[in-house]
Amino acid sequence: MAKRTKQLPQDRGFVLFDVMFEDGSRASNRRVPMEILGGLDGDQPARDLIEQQEAEIAQKAGRPPRAIQSLTRAAKPEPKLARE
């Protein structure tokens, strides 16, 4: 039986971001659709979307939303070597 290989998020149309919050906590690999990025705004649409996601998460958790300190694109994962 053939082994199913997973597509990377970049191949599925997403860009991954690492988020640092003002309280010192960190969230890795937050997914943002590629369609909203680019143009003159750069990564600002991603920041807006992640702030929206954070507000929804905070509301469900019953806590105030955390303020974003910095937002950086996550490095692409290195390809794994195939086993034989």
Side-chain angles (χ1 to χ4, degrees):
M1 179 177 234
K3 183 178 177 184
R4 180 177 169 252
T5 58
K6 292 183 179 180
Q7 286 184 327
L8 295 174
Q10 294 84 358
D11 297 338
R12 288 184 269 159
F14 291 98
V15 177
L16 301 178
F17 284 88
D18 291 333
V19 183
M20 287 294 295
F21 295 99
E22 289 181 357
D23 64 356
S25 59
R26 178 180 170 196
S28 299
N29 298 332
R30 298 286 291 265
R31 291 182 181 190
V32 175
M34 282 184 183
E35 300 90 47
I36 67 168
L37 300 175
L40 298 176
D41 293 335
D43 290 342
Q44 184 60 38
R47 184 182 198 97
D48 297 339
L49 179 65
I50 291 173
E51 285 175 349
Q52 261 184 346
Q53 292 172 351
E54 182 59 30
E56 291 172 10
I57 292 168
Q59 181 182 16
K60 290 178 183 177
R63 61 170 172 77
R66 299 177 289 182
I68 295 175
Q69 179 180 5
S70 67
L71 184 72
T72 57
R73 288 184 186 226
K76 282 189 175 182
E78 294 182 20
K80 295 180 181 178
L81 299 175
R83 292 190 221 173
E84 293 189 26

